[in-house]
Amino acid sequence: MAISSMTFLVALYIFMLAAFTGYVVISRVPSILHTPLMSGSNFIHGIVVVGALEALFHATTLPAQIIGFFAVLLGAGNVMGGYVVTNRMLEMFKPSTKTTDKTSGKRG
Amino acid sequence: MIAEYIVGLSGLIAAALFIYSLKSMSSPVTAVKGIVVAGYGMLLVVLASFFSIFNVSGEAASHLPINILLAIIALVLGGVWAAWKGKRVQMTAMPQMVALYNGMGGGSAAALAAVELLGGRYTSSLSLLIAFLGALIGCVSLTGSVIAWAKLDSRLNTYRYSQQKAVNAVLFGLTIILGLIAVINYGPDDSGIFAILFYVGALAFGICMTLPIGGADMPVVISLYNAFTGLAVGLEGYVMDSPALMIAGMVVGSAGTLLTVLMAKAMNRSLSNVLFSNFGDSTAQSSADTEQKEMKSVDPADAATTMRYAASVIIVPGYGLAVAQAQQKLYETVKLLQDAGVDVKFAIHPVAGRMPGHMNVLLAEAGVPYDMIFDMDEINESFPNTDVALVIGANDVVNPSARSDKSSPIYGMPILDVDKAHEVFIIKRGRGKGYSGVENPLFFNENSTMVFGDAQAVLSKMVEALKALKGV
């Protein structure tokens, strides 16, 4: 794929909309979930691994291959680590036994 | 052509799933589902990115088999290592682990910019400039996060010297200039020496910027670097012509910035204060008069008895509780109190633990249901009607001088009003000061009583005492 075929103005539109989205979505999160949330957003920017993969596929010289390898390695660590840690934290949040009984009763 | 659509569409789906997942995380009920959904999105987009090998042509095509092999090895190595670490990490060590993963993301963004530089695939100086900007932010995030990790993991101390700010400013300016020269020089016969120096400068700046920041401010810094990495990813997304990266990166960038500001506000520190001033230098100036007063102390069993016959108890846990690994014992104590008909609540300060929400995670790990846990704003007005407040391993977040003493370094920080409860018990290891080194007049109050000892030992004695009372 060519580098930067979209106009810079379109890019600015995307950035602007994404920035507002992030702001609105986060402003409703209660503080008890702030740590998992930071970890979760940490996982999401792990999408950088996709860019790293593409850069590595296009690498032609040895230095580019080596740096590309590390780009993918670090990105993969970001993704997997972020996911595992966030999932572990969120799974621990449980309501009181009363409410759990209700939901399990519904299921059964 | 079809491959391009597959890559593009999967990116679009992933971006939508990411936003949906962040939204789901706004409630503990849907939060687990949220992260799983985001996981599917990530899996989809990573698998689809392998379709872009069909777009590789020309010189790169002959290297493709090796590159694919390298990519798979890197994915497996990085993924397995991180998953293995993430499964084993203690909940108390979570902030530094998040910092480490975040640094990896920043490093990845910086490295990917370098690969593109080496490949000479930039067509305009604008995208080149943006690539360098993303690389700068990514590098700072990488080394800064590693320093933050090392500090929180107690592998590194805060390091300060005179003129540090000036040195950092010069380093930053130099890095920018090197980057600009590299942009101007960029071309087929460029040796790349300025680009290399630029990278070295950016990495060094991340270290120098983070070293003087105190441990108490680290959560804000980690959150800031999280936003930085998001921004770097977004910028590199523009360079790579990938809207999915742009959206995901920028959403995290803005959300992370907001989160950082919220955290700094909860600690009553402005962001510039955190980054450019040294906290804790002005200790032990005030509160000379409080030292003459006596602290009262009591036996754990007596304190437990008082709570057993109280109508309502609010527990204020701090990081000291987690250090003593006493969350389980605490919940055991709480259950015994509840059996005796006591109304027990937990009050959590926004910055309890090492990160906002960290204490909630630690309590959740011990099995405390989240509807027993209350935010500072929700619970502060109930302290005057509460019989007993039990403070465990918390200090600065219950320090009344934050309300009244203008000379105190923590003046103006919102606190939990435990001193307004009828009776306050404070479990504390010794008579020392808190994490930030500020004296706490709460300990000398009329209605305050200290319970000295390790949190784990004290709570064990409380459990014994409560069980004995139950037998009667």
Side-chain angles (χ1 to χ4, degrees):
Chain A
M1 269 196 281
I3 297 260
S4 311
S5 62
M6 80 180 88
T7 68
F8 188 58
L9 205 59
V10 175
L12 285 181
Y13 273 91
I14 294 179
F15 280 148
M16 183 271 290
L17 290 172
F20 269 105
T21 308
Y23 185 90
V24 170
V25 166
I26 290 303
S27 56
R28 290 186 198 153
V29 175
S31 67
I32 74 156
L33 285 169
H34 272 179
T35 292
L37 179 81
M38 195 200 292
S39 178
S41 60
N42 179 37
F43 163 71
I44 286 170
H45 68 51
I47 195 177
V48 69
V49 73
V50 170
L53 278 171
E54 202 191 312
L56 178 57
F57 290 149
H58 284 91
T60 50
T61 59
L62 189 63
Q65 284 176 318
I66 293 172
I67 300 175
F69 176 80
F70 280 105
V72 176
L73 186 79
L74 291 172
N78 185 178
V79 168
M80 279 310 288
Y83 184 81
V84 168
V85 158
T86 311
N87 200 33
R88 260 185 74 192
M89 282 195 272
L90 287 175
E91 276 192 336
M92 293 183 314
F93 283 91
K94 298 265 169 4
S96 291
T97 31
K98 278 176 265 168
T99 29
T100 351
D101 286 346
K102 240 186 255 166
T103 45
S104 60
K106 260 183 215 163
R107 265 183 220 144
Chain B
M1 194 62 198
I2 291 177
E4 219 164 293
Y5 270 105
I6 293 175
V7 174
L9 276 177
S10 63
L12 179 72
I13 296 168
L17 290 179
F18 291 159
I19 294 170
Y20 174 75
S21 98
L22 275 180
K23 179 85 187 69
S24 301
M25 285 195 216
S26 63
S27 153
V29 183
T30 53
V32 181
K33 200 182 75 192
I35 184 69
V36 172
V37 163
Y40 283 130
M42 194 65 82
L43 190 66
L44 174 76
V45 76
V46 169
L47 288 179
S49 72
F50 275 85
F51 277 94
S52 63
I53 58 177
F54 296 114
N55 291 319
V56 174
S57 58
E59 209 193 332
S62 58
H63 295 275
L64 201 54
I66 296 174
N67 287 346
I68 292 175
L69 189 68
L70 281 177
I72 292 171
I73 294 173
L75 278 178
V76 171
L77 269 185
V80 168
W81 175 84
W84 179 70
K85 278 300 242 191
K87 281 255 189 276
R88 284 165 30 113
V89 64
Q90 294 278 324
M91 281 300 153
T92 41
M94 208 47 99
Q96 51 262 50
M97 210 61 216
V98 174
L100 201 57
Y101 292 142
N102 174 55
M104 292 174 85
S108 181
L112 114 79
V115 177
E116 295 297 287
L117 277 176
L118 286 166
R121 303 209 300 133
Y122 293 100
T123 45
S124 76
S125 48
L126 180 66
S127 59
L128 194 60
L129 209 60
I130 289 173
F132 268 90
L133 186 60
L136 172 67
I137 299 171
C139 282
V140 171
S141 176
L142 168 65
T143 51
S145 296
V146 170
I147 296 291
W149 164 79
K151 278 193 175 184
L152 285 175
D153 225 31
S154 310
R155 289 163 196 262
L156 197 69
N157 286 323
T158 302
Y159 178 69
R160 289 175 190 147
Y161 53 89
S162 59
Q163 299 304 314
Q164 192 162 19
K165 269 177 242 173
V167 171
N168 286 357
V170 169
L171 182 60
F172 183 68
L174 211 63
T175 308
I176 298 277
I177 291 168
L178 283 168
L180 287 176
I181 295 175
V183 169
I184 294 164
N185 273 2
Y186 187 76
D189 40 274
D190 173 25
S191 67
I193 182 73
F194 286 110
I196 293 171
L197 285 176
F198 160 79
Y199 267 89
V200 172
L203 291 169
F205 178 69
I207 297 172
C208 294
M209 178 179 156
T210 321
L211 272 177
I213 301 172
D217 284 334
M218 258 327 133
V220 181
V221 174
I222 295 174
S223 175
L224 183 70
Y225 287 149
N226 186 41
F228 270 17
T229 307
L231 198 60
V233 171
L235 292 174
E236 298 305 339
Y238 169 72
V239 176
M240 299 294 294
D241 208 9
S242 165
L245 260 73
M246 292 168 68
I247 294 172
M250 199 50 74
V251 164
V252 173
S254 82
T257 308
L258 177 64
L259 200 58
T260 310
V261 171
L262 286 177
M263 276 186 208
K265 216 181 258 172
M267 296 166 80
N268 191 44
R269 313 261 288 133
S270 76
L271 204 51
S272 63
N273 227 336
V274 169
L275 295 177
F276 305 117
S277 83
N278 303 334
F279 189 54
D281 286 356
S282 57
T283 47
Q285 287 171 345
S286 61
S287 64
D289 52 328
T290 50
E291 302 206 15
Q292 276 106 41
K293 284 196 207 161
E294 276 293 300
M295 287 187 194
K296 283 176 293 188
S297 75
V298 72
D299 190 61
D302 290 349
T305 312
T306 312
M307 288 194 288
R308 160 73 177 73
Y309 292 106
S312 54
V313 172
I314 295 180
I315 296 175
V316 180
Y319 190 66
L321 174 76
V323 171
Q325 291 291 328
Q327 304 96 300
Q328 302 281 355
K329 274 275 172 256
L330 175 63
Y331 190 42
E332 211 181 322
T333 314
V334 168
K335 277 191 278 195
L336 285 167
L337 287 173
Q338 281 181 319
D339 287 346
V342 184
D343 173 31
V344 187
K345 286 175 186 156
F346 286 88
I348 308 263
H349 191 272
V351 293
R354 281 287 179 272
M355 211 194 245
H358 188 198
M359 189 48 66
N360 303 80
V361 173
L362 294 171
L363 288 177
E365 189 190 17
V368 179
Y370 59 74
D371 40 26
M372 276 177 77
I373 303 175
F374 294 87
D375 279 353
M376 181 172 66
D377 298 336
E378 291 171 321
I379 204 154
N380 250 351
E381 56 197 29
S382 1
F383 276 109
N385 313 319
T386 301
D387 292 336
V388 180
L390 177 67
V391 180
I392 307 171
N395 190 343
D396 295 333
V397 298
V398 292
N399 191 337
S401 58
R403 277 198 310 253
S404 52
D405 182 1
K406 280 196 177 147
S407 63
S408 170
I410 58 169
Y411 175 72
M413 179 173 95
I415 60 157
L416 287 160
D417 298 331
V418 284
D419 55 322
K420 290 182 181 160
H422 300 169
E423 191 155 13
V424 186
F425 288 117
I426 300 131
I427 300 179
K428 206 168 171 306
R429 230 180 345 197
R431 287 159 198 270
K433 295 167 184 171
Y435 199 58
S436 64
V438 184
E439 195 69 58
N440 193 342
L442 170 75
F443 303 157
F444 306 94
N445 268 359
E446 279 294 298
N447 57 348
S448 299
T449 312
M450 310 297 291
V451 186
F452 286 117
D454 174 69
Q456 175 91 26
V458 168
L459 286 167
S460 298
K461 280 183 198 152
M462 285 188 168
V463 168
E464 269 170 46
L466 288 171
K467 277 185 179 155
L469 282 171
K470 210 175 175 184
V472 172

